[in-house]
Amino acid sequence: MARSIDKTIQRNFIPPIKNNLSEQLNVFQTSSKDISTAMNKSNSLLTTEDQKMLTETITTNDTSHSIITTTTTTTTTKTTIAKATNSLEAGCLCPFCNGIFQMTCHRPISEISCGHIICYQCFVLNTNQFGCVQCKKPSEENNSNMKLSSTINVLSDDKNGVQQVMPETIENQILNVFHHVFKLSDFRHNQWEALNAALHHHDCFILMPTGGGKSLCYQLPAIIDSGVTFVIAPLRSLIFDQKQRLNLLNIPSAALTGNISPEEANEIYRDLYKDIPAYKIVFITPEKISMSDQLNNVLRDLYNRQLLARFVIDECHCVSEWGHDFRRDYSQLGQLRLNYPEINLTLLTATATPRVQQDILQQLNINGNYKLFVQSFNRSNLIYECIPKENTDIALSQIANLIKINYQNQCGIIYCFSRAECDRTAQYLLAHNIHALSYHAGLNDALRQTIHMRWINNECQVICATVAFGMGIDKNNVRFVIHFSIPQSIEGYYQESGRAGRDGEIANCHLFFCYDDYIRMKRLILNDDESKSSKQTKQVRINNINRVYDYCLNNVTCRRAQLLEYFGEIFSSSECKGTMSTECDNCRQDFRTSSLDCTRISIEILKLLSDLNQTNSTLSYIIDILRGVNNKTIRDAGHHRLRAFNLCQQLTRLDVERLISRLITDGYVKQEFIEQQSSITAYLRPGTNAIQLTSLSSQRSGSTTKIHIELTIRIEQVNNDHDEEIQNPKQKLIEQINEQCFIELKKELKSIFSTSSYSNIISEQTIKALVKLMPRSKEKMIKDIFEITDELYKQHDFNRLLRILQRFGSERDEIKRKNVSQNSSDSENEIDFSVDFTDRTTHNKKRPTASIITTTITKRKRASGGSSF
Ligand SMILES: Nc1ncnc2c1ncn2[C@@H]1O[C@H](COP(=O)(O)OP(=O)(O)OP(=O)(O)O)[C@@H](O)[C@H]1O
């Protein structure tokens, strides 16, 4: 809506440049009529309350200080115009900026006390700071910022043809500054409304997606407002970045951060104590407010002199303990409303669930009367993808290939788990001729700033960073964000991946995940005694990481739908599928799904964990038991005789992991961490909520307690024999051979390609196809497998793959020939096929039908610009 309003206004608003003032005034008259028509038009699209707000004219606190005020008479105007006309005859250029006088930003403004004329923009930006920009004469009267809110803007004919002065409306001021200070043309969603609300003295809570344009919603009002706007931001890097952008726009700003010298700080304080401070925006950190008396004194002084314009809390999710970046000092900001009740607050964030929003408002003592601006969090230009990480080396080489193939001369960010990982990743990429730099909190401020600047200036292609490189990073052309390790929360992931594609062009977000990283991170949170996190805060962080891991494992649901659901937004995956060029990895693939009621399976899993409580069992071991893997360790331990053995034979390994991950997230299962040498192992145990689930099995039917655990899984190959209760044991052995063959082929490929990654040449799907078709000759391999060409075969000595396929092929043939009876058990393959997940003696229960991952080939519709893992 805002966009359409604005377009109408803009088309009519900027008049052509004219060489003399009377001509300019004529043009302006016409255009002002157009504006009011446009405003009327746009008003018809607004609610009554909005219309009232938009038509409200500004009331100044002291109009007598204005040169041209709302009460200025026609005579005064004529004098001004006469002066302006004289001055304009001498070249029509603003003497300060040399810009041509126009009727909008560069329209001439005369100052009453000295009679000099400058353009409106210089007037807004400089006159109050330096006195008259021509004679530098300070004027007690001229120096009031109030005049900025009430300068003449529109001249229109009255009935008698006499030009009259109209007060400048807030809308016009917004448009002026928007077009001519920020040099922007189209408002983004909600900007127009938020700017109006702020300038009409409302508290504003602005939730916009990353890169949505939140900064404008406080920067623009700060220029128009009288007094100084204080922006509370969480990081120096963010402040540094914002300040630089304001410098480019000639908007006077300062930062009272810990890294400035006492002299610099004193200079800023001196300015703030002036009658009219030069700075329009001052950045501070929440810690500064908590700790600095000097700052609090100046705030009080400005408040008493009515020169405190607004408080802006950037990244306000940090206020909430439920937010992902919670900061203790942020929670003290509730004092602002109590200490400065007249001052409006503007809250900005890109990540706040409804629960976090409520908490923020409560913490900040904002009740009822505020304007909320929420919009879809969907970043429609981002392509989300999760990639299982085999190990660090393979992931590194995958990343190097990905950048070389897909992102030549395009810049990106790689988020790493630790400082060491940043350094290692950057070194690896450098060794592969990719210009990468490492950025983390271990570097000193100056070096971090240099690296940041080199990246901003496109002197370095990739930045390998910890999350310290996050909020406030505004580089428009970031084409990819790679997470080398899983992020700490969904909000964190949304923020970090949101650094990509801020120019609105397509960009990719690749997330590498593995169970080891997940437990490493969890372990770190549990061991974190330094940050003095409360037990509750730790639990929040643990829940956050569990959610992220669930997200990574979920190979069914649209990534956008998953992310947006987290923020309380309902998103239809058809929207993602409908935009082929930016489909997420799950939407990109064709598969059918089925919903499984996993309640009973879950109960059995908990019983299994309880049975194994004395034995330390890892996730991988539990999955092996559940999937009936017939290996020596299981056999030696006698675990193939357990009731749960083979319980999930028809689920893929990933599905079983997803189910267990769900049980962990819901507290039915917990992980116990044991440190052995330098590695951490997590053992699974029944969790605190386990009893709620296991007690279900002893409840009579018809009981009111209902826990329902459902899992939607992919059905890639439907088992036609639905009614067959137990899968043919022959088939099971074949599956195991397939699985083993798949693993060996991957190992062999790794060794064939040694230094580089094979995954860009031979995809996971191709390996699966090899297993399925099991070609026994070179010719058949080339004929059956599309990706394998004669040239590729020779170039990489695929005879090595052929030998594996021949070996497993004959094993498979052998099994097919053998008549393996359902109850047979030889000494080598001792499998108890009679297990069922409900009752070991019951065979007439229907099992869920699921896919066999090793025989699955999914159709990939590659999106443009995406990777080809
Ligand atoms: N109306 C607009 N038209 C064009 N560009 C805009 C507009 N508003 C903002 N921008 C630009 O969009 C980019 C992102 O804006 P901004 O930094 O304010 O985003 P943000 O919402 O604060 O994002 P983040 O939460 O990620 O920091 C900036 O380069 C800004 O100049």
Side-chain angles (χ1 to χ4, degrees):
M1 187 177 75
R3 240 164 228 241
S4 60
I5 295 169
D6 184 53
K7 274 186 182 147
T8 327
I9 295 169
Q10 284 158 32
R11 245 199 328 273
N12 299 309
F13 188 60
I14 303 179
I17 298 162
K18 293 285 169 186
N19 284 337
N20 67 60
L21 189 62
S22 54
E23 239 184 290
Q24 288 190 37
L25 290 175
N26 279 339
V27 172
F28 204 77
Q29 259 174 261
T30 323
S31 83
S32 68
K33 279 181 199 152
D34 291 342
I35 293 165
S36 67
T37 319
M39 286 291 186
N40 287 340
K41 263 191 214 163
S42 59
N43 281 356
S44 67
L45 298 167
L46 305 176
T47 63
T48 327
E49 200 198 327
D50 288 337
Q51 284 188 28
K52 202 168 139 236
M53 203 175 79
L54 285 172
T55 49
E56 225 174 85
T57 50
I58 192 155
T59 46
T60 56
N61 293 343
D62 186 355
T63 49
S64 64
H65 280 192
S66 306
I67 332 152
I68 306 165
T69 69
T70 49
T71 55
T72 313
T73 60
T74 313
T75 328
T76 318
T77 319
K78 279 178 181 163
T79 320
T80 312
I81 293 167
K83 280 184 186 171
T85 315
N86 293 337
S87 167
L88 285 170
E89 276 161 9
C92 295
L93 294 180
C94 167
F96 193 64
C97 67
N98 278 333
I100 300 172
F101 285 125
Q102 305 167 33
M103 293 314 293
T104 52
C105 160
H106 288 278
R107 71 179 184 276
I109 293 290
S110 161
E111 297 188 29
I112 266 175
S113 64
C114 55
H116 286 127
I117 291 174
I118 56 165
C119 74
Y120 180 75
Q121 181 167 300
C122 295
F123 174 76
V124 171
L125 297 179
N126 300 298
T127 301
N128 292 312
Q129 198 178 344
F130 306 116
C132 169
V133 294
Q134 277 188 274
C135 61
K136 303 281 179 274
K137 188 167 145 192
S139 158
E140 348 50 85
E141 288 177 349
N142 278 359
N143 272 345
S144 169
N145 277 318
M146 301 299 173
K147 66 195 165 195
L148 299 183
S149 315
S150 56
T151 46
I152 282 182
N153 186 23
V154 179
L155 294 166
S156 66
D157 275 342
D158 71 0
K159 280 182 197 135
N160 305 320
V162 178
Q163 285 168 339
Q164 292 198 333
V165 178
M166 302 288 285
E168 183 171 60
T169 61
I170 285 180
E171 298 84 66
N172 283 346
Q173 292 180 62
I174 293 174
L175 288 171
N176 267 338
V177 180
F178 181 68
H179 295 309
H180 301 289
V181 178
F182 290 91
K183 313 243 179 329
L184 296 172
S185 52
D186 279 318
F187 285 101
R188 287 186 180 165
H189 190 73
N190 273 348
Q191 280 181 331
W192 171 255
E193 291 85 347
L195 292 168
N196 270 284
L199 286 164
H200 283 88
H201 310 295
H202 290 284
D203 289 331
C204 294
F205 195 160
I206 302 170
L207 286 124
M208 277 185 187
T210 47
K214 288 181 285 297
S215 315
L216 184 89
C217 300
Y218 77 82
Q219 290 171 351
L220 192 148
I223 296 174
I224 294 175
D225 268 327
S226 44
V228 187
T229 294
F230 281 81
V231 181
I232 298 139
L235 295 173
R236 272 190 232 155
S237 63
L238 187 149
I239 291 175
F240 171 76
D241 200 59
Q242 295 274 2
K243 227 177 123 319
Q244 276 209 324
R245 285 157 66 187
L246 291 172
N247 281 351
L248 290 175
L249 296 168
N250 282 327
I251 300 169
S253 67
L256 280 169
T257 46
N259 56 329
I260 59 168
S261 66
E263 293 73 35
E264 285 172 300
N266 285 338
E267 190 278 316
I268 296 169
Y269 282 119
R270 260 198 307 278
D271 176 77
L272 296 176
Y273 278 111
K274 281 185 186 161
D275 283 353
I276 301 297
Y279 294 118
K280 296 301 296 173
I281 295 176
V282 176
F283 293 95
I284 47 179
T285 57
E287 287 75 16
K288 192 87 183 168
I289 300 198
S290 302
M291 288 173 346
S292 167
D293 287 342
Q294 207 178 3
L295 174 65
N296 284 295
N297 290 341
V298 89
L299 286 175
R300 171 65 42 198
D301 180 76
L302 288 165
Y303 182 68
N304 291 340
R305 293 187 291 137
Q306 298 188 355
L307 284 171
L308 189 51
R310 188 183 314 278
F311 286 114
V312 177
I313 305 183
D314 200 5
E315 311 291 355
C316 66
H317 56 268
C318 298
V319 170
S320 167
E321 238 189 291
W322 306 108
H324 62 108
D325 283 320
F326 171 66
R327 288 259 292 274
R328 206 156 296 280
D329 287 284
Y330 258 93
S331 60
Q332 304 301 312
L333 297 180
Q335 289 301 317
L336 294 177
R337 175 51 33 102
L338 305 179
N339 294 341
Y340 309 104
E342 304 290 310
I343 305 304
N344 284 123
L345 289 161
T346 292
L347 315 178
L348 308 170
T349 182
T351 45
T353 61
R355 180 192 195 184
V356 171
Q357 288 168 36
Q358 279 317 308
D359 192 35
I360 294 170
L361 291 165
Q362 200 183 342
Q363 301 281 341
L364 294 175
N365 296 311
I366 298 177
N367 34 39
N369 201 14
Y370 64 94
K371 296 273 176 193
L372 177 66
F373 299 94
V374 194
Q375 66 189 78
S376 171
F377 284 98
N378 182 25
R379 292 287 310 275
S380 56
N381 61 324
L382 299 187
I383 302 172
Y384 297 99
E385 176 171 37
C386 292
I387 305 152
K389 177 171 162 185
E390 276 187 51
N391 63 41
T392 305
D393 292 342
I394 295 181
L396 276 175
S397 85
Q398 280 179 308
I399 289 173
N401 280 333
L402 184 66
I403 296 173
K404 278 189 181 164
I405 295 168
N406 293 308
Y407 304 113
Q408 266 185 22
N409 303 322
Q410 293 181 325
C411 77
I413 307 172
I414 302 178
Y415 279 110
C416 302
F417 171 72
S418 62
R419 297 170 189 186
E421 200 170 86
C422 292
D423 294 340
R424 202 174 43 239
T425 309
Q427 271 164 23
Y428 183 93
L429 295 180
L430 277 172
H432 288 76
N433 297 324
I434 296 166
H435 194 188
L437 289 173
S438 171
Y439 180 106
H440 50 71
L443 310 174
N444 65 40
D445 277 1
L447 190 54
R448 275 217 309 271
Q449 262 187 31
T450 313
I451 294 170
H452 185 181
M453 286 322 294
R454 288 182 63 184
W455 187 67
I456 293 280
N457 297 328
N458 298 321
E459 291 164 22
C460 128
Q461 186 186 1
V462 181
I463 204 136
C464 304
T466 57
V467 286
F469 191 75
M471 290 186 281
I473 301 302
D474 182 29
K475 184 165 163 66
N476 271 350
N477 59 347
V478 177
R479 291 276 66 82
F480 63 94
V481 169
I482 296 174
H483 276 80
F484 191 60
S485 294
I486 59 170
Q488 293 175 18
S489 64
I490 295 284
E491 285 116 317
Y493 180 59
Y494 178 80
Q495 283 263 7
E496 289 144 28
S497 59
R499 303 289 142 217
R502 286 158 76 88
D503 52 7
E505 299 293 319
I506 291 177
N508 286 71
C509 308
H510 311 277
L511 194 170
F512 283 81
F513 71 97
C514 66
Y515 185 69
D516 283 353
D517 285 352
Y518 164 56
I519 58 170
R520 185 165 58 141
M521 224 161 227
K522 254 182 137 167
R523 169 84 175 147
L524 210 75
I525 297 169
L526 290 170
N527 275 2
D528 178 15
D529 296 325
E530 259 175 42
S531 68
K532 296 189 184 64
S533 311
S534 65
K535 208 170 161 207
Q536 196 189 22
T537 313
K538 273 190 186 174
Q539 195 50 50
V540 170
R541 291 172 66 197
I542 292 285
N543 294 347
N544 285 342
I545 196 104
N546 287 339
R547 290 290 296 256
V548 172
Y549 197 58
D550 278 353
Y551 168 85
C552 296
L553 291 178
N554 189 334
N555 64 342
V556 175
T557 317
C558 166
R559 298 280 175 210
R560 285 174 211 287
Q562 289 187 64
L563 289 174
L564 298 178
E565 187 205 351
Y566 186 81
F567 295 112
E569 195 178 323
I570 297 165
F571 178 85
S572 161
S573 60
S574 57
E575 252 189 77
C576 184
K577 277 188 201 291
T579 324
M580 290 266 294
S581 55
T582 54
E583 276 172 317
C584 70
D585 55 350
N586 286 341
C587 289
R588 208 187 298 151
Q589 299 183 30
D590 275 350
F591 53 84
R592 286 188 292 134
T593 59
S594 172
S595 261
L596 292 185
D597 181 348
C598 294
T599 319
R600 290 226 63 85
I601 302 181
S602 305
I603 293 171
E604 290 303 320
I605 293 175
L606 292 187
K607 285 183 181 162
L608 169 69
L609 294 181
S610 179
D611 289 347
L612 293 176
N613 218 5
Q614 298 311 312
T615 326
N616 285 335
S617 306
T618 60
L619 173 79
S620 172
Y621 189 71
I622 296 292
I623 295 178
D624 282 349
I625 293 179
L626 292 169
R627 297 194 69 239
V629 171
N630 180 27
N631 65 26
K632 192 168 176 318
T633 325
I634 288 181
R635 275 203 311 274
D636 286 354
H639 292 155
H640 60 295
R641 293 199 188 84
L642 288 169
R643 168 192 172 97
F645 184 79
N646 209 19
L647 179 66
C648 304
Q649 63 161 326
Q650 286 170 300
L651 294 180
T652 65
R653 214 179 163 81
L654 180 73
D655 291 336
V656 182
E657 191 176 348
R658 274 184 64 205
L659 176 59
I660 296 178
S661 166
R662 256 290 288 290
L663 297 177
I664 292 173
T665 304
D666 293 346
Y668 299 120
V669 172
K670 70 173 183 194
Q671 290 152 309
E672 197 174 284
F673 296 94
I674 310 284
E675 223 158 303
Q676 285 163 335
Q677 282 126 24
S678 58
S679 68
I680 302 154
T681 314
Y683 297 119
L684 300 191
R685 311 262 185 246
T688 40
N689 296 340
I691 189 75
Q692 295 169 17
L693 200 55
T694 45
S695 62
L696 279 186
S697 58
S698 53
Q699 276 173 17
R700 290 166 186 215
S701 58
S703 158
T704 47
T705 322
K706 261 275 163 261
I707 299 179
H708 187 67
I709 297 175
E710 203 176 86
L711 192 70
T712 305
I713 60 162
R714 287 186 182 195
I715 305 287
E716 288 161 311
Q717 183 181 303
V718 181
N719 183 352
N720 290 326
D721 198 1
H722 286 270
D723 290 323
E724 199 178 348
E725 183 219 339
I726 297 168
Q727 207 186 12
N728 186 342
K730 211 159 119 175
Q731 178 63 31
K732 188 168 174 311
L733 286 178
I734 289 173
E735 267 181 49
Q736 288 179 0
I737 286 177
N738 286 346
E739 220 166 289
Q740 204 52 42
C741 177
F742 182 74
I743 292 168
E744 290 208 16
L745 284 175
K746 281 173 82 168
K747 255 196 215 155
E748 198 64 16
L749 279 164
K750 228 182 284 175
S751 123
I752 292 173
F753 284 80
S754 65
T755 51
S756 59
S757 165
Y758 61 81
S759 59
N760 284 311
I761 297 171
I762 301 290
S763 67
E764 194 101 340
Q765 276 69 32
T766 307
I767 307 172
K768 285 176 189 171
L770 278 168
V771 173
K772 186 185 179 192
L773 302 171
M774 211 73 91
R776 317 293 164 77
S777 67
K778 175 186 166 189
E779 293 68 32
K780 193 139 176 51
M781 196 193 287
I782 294 168
K783 182 168 166 270
D784 289 353
I785 312 290
F786 179 74
E787 288 84 353
I788 299 184
T789 59
D790 200 14
E791 204 183 10
L792 198 69
Y793 191 99
K794 277 191 220 135
Q795 199 183 341
H796 294 291
D797 189 15
F798 279 180
N799 271 326
R800 291 168 65 176
L801 299 183
L802 192 62
R803 280 196 287 276
I804 293 172
L805 290 165
Q806 284 167 343
R807 179 155 53 84
F808 280 99
S810 44
E811 265 186 53
R812 204 162 77 172
D813 291 348
E814 183 65 17
I815 286 172
K816 279 183 183 165
R817 269 196 301 275
K818 246 189 188 175
N819 188 12
V820 186
S821 88
Q822 198 136 330
N823 294 321
S824 77
S825 63
D826 59 35
S827 57
E828 270 310 296
N829 295 310
E830 195 185 326
I831 308 168
D832 184 351
F833 290 107
S834 63
V835 271
D836 191 310
F837 49 79
T838 48
D839 186 337
R840 204 179 161 90
T841 56
T842 311
H843 292 280
N844 56 356
K845 291 266 189 298
K846 203 169 163 180
R847 281 181 187 274
T849 309
S851 62
I852 303 157
I853 195 166
T854 49
T855 55
T856 298
I857 301 170
T858 54
K859 190 181 122 204
R860 275 174 81 92
K861 301 174 280 172
R862 223 3 267 158
S864 67
S867 72
S868 52
F869 282 104

